[in-house]
Amino acid sequence: MAFRAFKQTHVFEKPSAPKEKDKSSIQCIACCDPHVYIGTKDATVQHIILSSSTDLGSGQSKTREGRARKLGSSNQVTQLRVVPLYNHLLVLWDRSITALNMFSLEPVPGLKKIQHVSLFEVCDSMPSAQAQCVEMVTSSSRRKLIRIHVVGVDRWDVVKEVPLLYDPRALAVDGTSVCVATSDRYLLCDIRTGSSQELFPHNHSRQCVFVTSVGRGEFLLNGPESLGMFVMKTGICQRPPLQWPQEVLAAGVCFPYILTLQPQVLSVYSMVDQQRKQTVSLTGAKGLLSTSDGVLVFTERDIFSLRLVPIEEQIQALVRHERIEEALLLLDGVQGYCPLDSYKELLKAITCLAGFVHFYQEGFSEAKDLFITGELDPREIIHLYPDMQSCLSEDFQSQLDQPNKGRDLQVLWQGDRSTFHHYLAFLGDFLRAVKGTELGLRCSKEVDCALLRLYVELGDSENLQQLVALANECRLDQCVPVLEQHNRLFALGSLYQSHGNLIDAIKTWVKIADGFHKDPSCSDVYGHIVRTLSQLQDKDVVWTFSDWTLQKNQEIGVQIFIKCPPDDRFKTQDVLGLLEKYPLAMLLYLEFLIYDLNSEESRHHNRLALAYVTEMLQEEEEADLRKTREKLQQLLWGSKFYDVSTVYERVKSANLHMEEAILLGRAGEHSQALKVLVHQEGDFQAAEAFCCRAAQGRDPQLRQTLLLTLLQIYLSSEDLTSAAVDLLNHNPLVFAAEQILQLLPDSWSVQLVSQFLVRSLRETFHQRRMSRVQKALGQAELMRHKVIWMQASKTTFRLDKGQKCKVCQRDLAEPQFVCNLHGDLMHTNCTDFTSS
């Protein structure tokens, strides 16, 4: 069935009277629903009453004939107008306006005929001051003017005359504006000011000249070149012209449509897009009359009603014909005339249907935007996919009438997998877009379950993991079998975790880490388990899997205790008790306690030192041994909380001479420590470094004492002469030359210590000279400040009575005062200066 904006009904047929056909034909009509008045060629006015019930199948409407009144023996009735306010029916006949009662058709007493009238119109838009009267505009048949009448219950008076340059052929009234058509042009007149304005010329015959009021200060005119022109009362056009056929006899407005009448056809045009929407064949049509819900069209013997189809039905019909853009344009055009709620619901429905049109044409981007804008229930889209329907709850009932389209996807699913893959990708895009929004939250379980199945189907590991790892509404009874069937066990564990099943989650991952199952979607399952355990608040679960993680890898496994949140740490003693079986993990945990948590407990420091010693004795690689030994030495030098005696016994038994020397030094036995380094370790550089390190941060004199002790140890043995010379040459500033010369054996030659003596004297002279230079610079700076002070003291300042201190704002009453570089005066005790 073609789209119809109006439904046609045959409402009246004048009885056949062949002999008097020309005398009783219909010439004009007027309507005040349900009353219709007919003016005939034989000067008769007939009243008929339309029935509210219509036989839609036959297009017939039942009517009841009322009274009829014969006005005279000749001349046709030219115009009829109804004034419901007073129950008046105004009749233009024989160039005179007569007022009849609209029910009895009897003349109204007191309203005498208005003679010499060629045209008239009743104005419905009245100012508030004349709320109890109606204005009427008449055109004189003798003079070129229009008159404005005020019509009352029992009288009518002329209140104004507006002269014209041309005889009116047609006119229309809207408020205070009258649009007049003459034989060759259109005019706009203001009935308040009497001014007129020419619009544009035309070349129509008398029969095709007409003007129609559109409402809201706008008129529709039959313009030149077969154009329907919309003109505002200001004289401007706000709508584009409407291209219509030639020989248009009349036009009516029933928003949002314009209806044009030709002798054989009535055309319906949209005011929204200026396109013709419907044509109705009407043989012998003579004129039309706009009504509240359409138009009445009459021929010589028949009257037809064209009633506007409800906008909702029009839109649904356009959508059924897949004319979506037209439906949206129509809805947008009538937005201001529809209830807001009705408009919104219609817009949503059309938008969703438009989305389906794009959807089945594989215009997925447009479809997604339209579905979201139209607030389509996501389950309607899920329902279209054969393999996804199990994700929907049993109580879901689709509201869409799309059976054929649904079968299309079924066919694609079974046959054309490549195309169906594109539809699956669209489903993912759409569900991701609505997830978390108000639309998605209405059916979050169905959305999440469908996404999970979709990601598994597409092999999208990244999005699958993101879905199951975060908070979700996936139903375990539906999703667990899907993940197990496709060997997505890592995602299964994450799904368990997001639903609070921590034990099941970690057990699932453990099976992958132990090699019982394979899942390439995660390359480091063990590391993921450790990271998960380290962040868990449920300590029982951590303890359950702690042995497994440590047995797998002590270095990584201990992170479950180290990386846990600061406010949720395990008791230190419990952890240390567990780690007794895992020495490497114990060492790393003790390092964490001391260096990260800054533990000051002696037992922790003792255990770490002993752990380093044990580790050194077990290591075979030289690089690892060196690294561990550096850590031990750093601890022995830096920590002040370990028990020296406890550690010393273990270090001494392990023959770690460097560490033994450090411990002797910490005990204050520096001489013994140096002897160990010199005689047992045989490392002279280490002995010299020991002196510097032991004196670091302490009295500078200590370093000189330690180096002197080391020198004496060297001098006590003839085999260490070379070490003694090297020590002197390395530290010329530390040793005083005269003191060293007294200590040196008599057998030493001057040449042996010449380098030391030269450098010692050179450094001594350098230090003295530098001291003199610094003293001279200080004296020069002092002199510069004195010069500045003297120059400032010679400046004359005027101190007036009542002058205030810049700092404290009290009077300067003493003869001593201070002036800064800006010239501000102040008390001497208000600055950092003192008066001389």
Side-chain angles (χ1 to χ4, degrees):
M1 181 183 293
F3 170 75
R4 293 192 306 170
F6 291 85
K7 291 182 180 179
Q8 178 186 352
T9 307
H10 189 192
V11 298
F12 177 75
E13 182 179 5
K14 198 170 183 62
S16 298
K19 294 182 180 180
E20 299 180 0
K21 179 178 181 182
D22 294 337
K23 296 182 179 180
S24 62
S25 61
I26 301 173
Q27 298 299 308
C28 60
I29 60 174
C31 179
C32 180
D33 197 26
H35 305 282
V36 176
Y37 301 90
I38 301 171
T40 66
K41 191 175 183 180
D42 60 354
T44 300
V45 176
Q46 184 175 356
H47 176 204
I48 63 174
I49 302 172
L50 301 180
S51 172
S52 59
S53 62
T54 302
D55 186 351
L56 295 178
S58 63
Q60 296 288 330
S61 176
K62 297 180 180 180
T63 59
R64 181 166 54 89
E65 292 192 19
R67 297 175 182 271
R69 184 174 185 84
K70 187 78 171 175
L71 300 178
S73 59
S74 63
N75 293 331
Q76 66 182 22
V77 176
T78 307
Q79 279 184 271
L80 294 172
R81 294 293 183 265
V82 181
V83 183
L85 181 62
Y86 308 126
N87 295 334
H88 290 349
L89 174 64
L90 306 183
V91 183
L92 176 59
W93 168 75
D94 196 20
R95 296 188 179 274
S96 299
I97 298 177
T98 303
L100 305 178
N101 183 280
M102 62 182 290
F103 299 111
S104 66
L105 300 186
E106 293 294 329
V108 177
L111 292 179
K112 297 181 180 181
K113 290 183 179 181
I114 302 175
Q115 296 183 340
H116 310 300
V117 177
S118 61
L119 297 168
F120 82 98
E121 280 295 341
V122 175
C123 180
D124 296 327
S125 305
M126 293 304 302
S128 58
Q130 296 178 337
Q132 296 302 317
C133 60
V134 176
E135 280 191 346
M136 178 177 64
V137 179
T138 65
S139 171
S140 173
S141 62
R142 290 186 171 183
R143 299 169 58 188
K144 296 177 181 178
L145 57 79
I146 57 175
R147 293 187 177 96
I148 292 85
H149 304 257
V150 175
V151 182
V153 178
D154 55 4
R155 61 180 294 174
W156 43 26
D157 300 309
V158 177
V159 296
K160 195 177 189 63
E161 290 186 351
V162 179
L164 299 174
L165 297 177
Y166 312 95
D167 289 325
R169 294 281 182 88
L171 59 85
V173 185
D174 191 294
T176 63
S177 297
V178 180
C179 189
V180 180
T182 69
S183 60
D184 62 351
R185 68 197 63 210
Y186 290 98
L187 309 172
L188 266 178
C189 299
D190 190 312
I191 60 179
R192 290 290 178 261
T193 63
S195 62
S196 63
Q197 174 186 357
E198 288 195 16
L199 297 176
F200 46 80
H202 69 83
N203 56 357
H204 298 303
S205 64
R206 184 182 188 93
Q207 189 180 17
C208 295
V209 176
F210 60 82
V211 182
T212 302
S213 174
V214 178
R216 300 187 178 184
E218 190 173 16
F219 299 96
L220 175 62
L221 297 76
N222 189 10
E225 306 297 333
S226 300
L227 292 175
M229 304 293 294
F230 295 92
V231 180
M232 300 299 295
K233 62 183 179 180
T234 56
I236 63 174
C237 298
Q238 291 186 337
R239 302 179 195 266
L242 180 65
Q243 184 71 58
W244 58 31
Q246 296 180 351
E247 298 184 2
V248 174
L249 303 178
V253 178
C254 183
F255 189 83
Y257 296 103
I258 299 293
L259 298 95
T260 64
L261 184 66
Q262 295 171 266
Q264 305 299 324
V265 68
L266 181 139
S267 301
V268 179
Y269 295 88
S270 171
M271 296 175 68
V272 177
D273 60 6
Q274 284 76 47
Q275 299 298 312
R276 184 162 61 181
K277 302 299 181 182
Q278 183 182 357
T279 57
V280 180
S281 296
L282 292 169
T283 303
K286 296 181 66 175
L288 63 76
L289 175 71
S290 295
T291 63
S292 60
D293 59 352
V295 295
L296 293 175
V297 182
F298 62 90
T299 66
E300 289 187 346
R301 296 211 161 271
D302 300 284
I303 299 177
F304 299 90
S305 171
L306 278 85
R307 293 200 173 189
L308 183 68
V309 175
I311 296 297
E312 293 86 347
E313 294 183 21
Q314 294 185 47
I315 291 173
Q316 291 168 4
L318 288 170
V319 171
R320 282 196 299 271
H321 291 84
E322 296 190 359
R323 292 159 63 177
I324 303 301
E325 297 302 327
E326 288 186 58
L328 289 172
L329 278 174
L330 175 58
L331 182 60
D332 186 62
V334 301
Q335 176 180 356
Y337 297 83
C338 290
L340 183 60
D341 292 340
S342 175
Y343 169 77
K344 288 183 177 179
E345 290 304 317
L346 276 173
L347 181 60
K348 290 178 185 177
I350 299 172
T351 304
C352 291
L353 291 171
F356 278 109
V357 172
H358 288 289
F359 175 74
Y360 290 113
Q361 294 173 352
E362 298 186 40
F364 296 125
S365 178
E366 297 85 352
K368 181 184 74 172
D369 294 340
L370 290 169
F371 287 150
I372 294 174
T373 304
E375 299 182 8
L376 179 68
D377 187 339
R379 292 175 295 182
E380 297 286 5
I381 299 297
I382 297 172
H383 182 69
L384 298 177
Y385 291 77
D387 200 31
M388 297 292 171
Q389 295 180 1
S390 60
C391 299
L392 301 175
S393 58
E394 296 180 356
D395 58 350
F396 171 72
Q397 296 293 328
S398 175
Q399 303 300 314
L400 297 178
D401 183 18
Q402 299 272 338
N404 296 330
K405 300 300 185 180
R407 282 196 295 272
D408 288 345
L409 285 187
Q410 179 78 28
V411 171
L412 290 176
W413 180 57
Q414 294 175 348
D416 190 352
R417 296 296 292 182
S418 176
T419 301
F420 188 70
H421 189 276
H422 295 309
Y423 279 91
L424 289 177
F426 163 78
L427 179 63
D429 289 341
F430 174 69
L431 293 181
R432 278 192 296 271
V434 300
K435 179 177 171 61
T437 65
E438 184 178 354
L439 275 179
L441 292 175
R442 295 174 189 169
C443 51
S444 55
K445 291 183 179 180
E446 288 86 347
V447 169
D448 286 351
C449 287
L451 279 173
L452 185 140
R453 294 184 70 94
L454 178 66
Y455 294 149
V456 171
E457 176 76 17
L458 296 176
D460 190 345
S461 301
E462 182 179 353
N463 277 321
L464 174 64
Q465 185 58 33
Q466 185 177 3
L467 172 67
V468 297
L470 301 176
N472 61 79
E473 295 293 331
C474 292
R475 294 175 56 181
L476 294 181
D477 58 337
Q478 290 186 2
C479 298
V480 169
V482 174
L483 295 172
E484 289 179 341
Q485 180 182 354
H486 292 81
N487 292 321
R488 297 295 184 136
L489 297 183
F490 182 73
L492 176 59
S494 299
L495 182 61
Y496 280 135
Q497 181 186 7
S498 64
H499 284 254
N501 300 344
L502 300 177
I503 296 292
D504 291 338
I506 298 177
K507 282 183 177 179
T508 303
W509 291 330
V510 166
K511 291 178 181 179
I512 302 174
D514 287 341
F516 294 108
H517 298 288
K518 293 183 178 180
D519 188 344
S521 60
C522 182
S523 58
D524 185 17
V525 179
Y526 173 72
H528 181 78
I529 295 173
V530 172
R531 288 190 295 272
T532 301
L533 290 173
S534 67
Q535 300 301 313
L536 287 183
Q537 295 181 348
D538 190 337
K539 293 183 171 58
D540 293 337
V541 176
V542 180
W543 282 116
T544 301
F545 294 95
S546 58
D547 276 318
W548 178 86
T549 56
L550 291 167
Q551 290 169 6
K552 201 78 175 174
N553 187 313
Q554 293 186 44
E555 184 176 1
I556 297 176
V558 75
Q559 301 299 317
I560 64 176
F561 303 115
I562 292 176
K563 297 295 184 180
C564 57
D567 298 332
D568 197 34
R569 298 193 189 283
F570 292 83
K571 291 183 179 179
T572 303
Q573 285 306 113
D574 294 342
V575 177
L576 291 174
L578 173 68
L579 298 182
E580 290 289 351
K581 299 178 291 183
Y582 309 102
L584 177 58
M586 171 72 82
L587 185 148
L588 295 172
Y589 184 70
L590 289 170
E591 287 181 343
F592 167 71
L593 291 177
I594 293 172
Y595 297 119
D596 293 327
L597 300 187
N598 300 317
S599 172
E600 297 182 356
E601 291 191 31
S602 176
R603 54 183 176 173
H604 296 161
H605 291 255
N606 290 342
R607 295 188 73 165
L608 180 58
L610 298 178
Y612 281 142
V613 174
T614 303
E615 184 74 12
M616 289 169 59
L617 296 177
Q618 296 176 352
E619 285 175 343
E620 298 178 358
E621 295 290 336
E622 182 67 25
D624 294 337
L625 177 62
R626 188 183 308 110
K627 184 177 179 180
T628 304
R629 192 165 191 179
E630 288 176 356
K631 290 182 178 181
L632 174 59
Q633 292 177 12
Q634 180 183 358
L635 175 68
L636 297 179
W637 278 118
S639 174
K640 59 181 179 180
F641 300 108
Y642 61 85
D643 181 29
V644 174
S645 59
T646 301
V647 179
Y648 179 77
E649 293 299 329
R650 185 73 178 93
V651 167
K652 186 175 182 180
S653 63
N655 294 321
L656 299 175
H657 303 304
M658 179 67 71
E659 290 72 14
E660 180 183 353
I662 295 174
L663 290 169
L664 289 171
R666 293 298 300 271
E669 300 179 10
H670 296 103
S671 177
Q672 186 62 30
L674 291 171
K675 289 178 181 179
V676 170
L677 292 173
V678 172
H679 298 300
Q680 297 183 29
E681 185 68 16
D683 190 339
F684 305 138
Q685 292 182 351
E688 186 175 344
F690 174 86
C691 296
C692 298
R693 181 67 180 82
Q696 187 175 344
R698 302 174 69 179
D699 185 358
Q701 190 64 33
L702 178 60
R703 181 184 176 216
Q704 183 178 358
T705 301
L706 293 178
L707 288 172
L708 188 60
T709 302
L710 179 59
L711 178 62
Q712 291 173 344
I713 293 173
Y714 289 157
L715 294 175
S716 63
S717 173
E718 294 182 359
D719 297 334
L720 300 177
T721 300
S722 144
V725 172
D726 290 339
L727 180 64
L728 290 173
N729 292 336
H730 292 161
N731 301 277
L733 292 178
V734 176
F735 298 113
E738 60 275 12
Q739 182 182 11
I740 294 304
L741 290 175
Q742 295 177 3
L743 293 176
L744 296 178
D746 294 338
S747 60
W748 282 30
S749 65
V750 174
Q751 184 178 0
L752 189 63
V753 293
S754 61
Q755 182 178 350
F756 163 71
L757 293 175
V758 170
R759 293 184 62 187
S760 177
L761 291 175
R762 182 179 295 164
E763 290 294 337
T764 301
F765 289 146
H766 176 70
Q767 291 295 333
R768 289 178 181 176
R769 289 169 180 167
M770 288 300 297
S771 298
R772 292 175 183 174
V773 169
Q774 290 176 357
K775 181 177 180 181
L777 289 173
Q779 290 176 343
E781 182 68 12
L782 177 61
M783 183 62 67
R784 188 176 67 84
H785 284 291
K786 285 184 176 181
V787 170
I788 294 174
W789 176 79
M790 291 176 65
Q791 290 175 346
S793 64
K794 292 180 180 180
T795 304
T796 303
F797 297 95
R798 181 180 180 86
L799 184 63
D800 298 323
K801 183 178 181 181
Q803 190 160 350
K804 305 291 185 182
C805 172
K806 180 68 175 179
V807 178
C808 66
Q809 297 300 317
R810 292 199 297 267
D811 290 339
L812 291 169
E814 299 294 330
Q816 295 85 12
F817 59 90
V818 174
C819 177
N820 63 17
L821 297 177
H822 299 291
D824 300 321
L825 304 183
M826 59 195 78
H827 293 114
T828 56
N829 56 0
C830 290
T831 68
D832 294 331
F833 300 101
T834 57
S835 178
S836 60

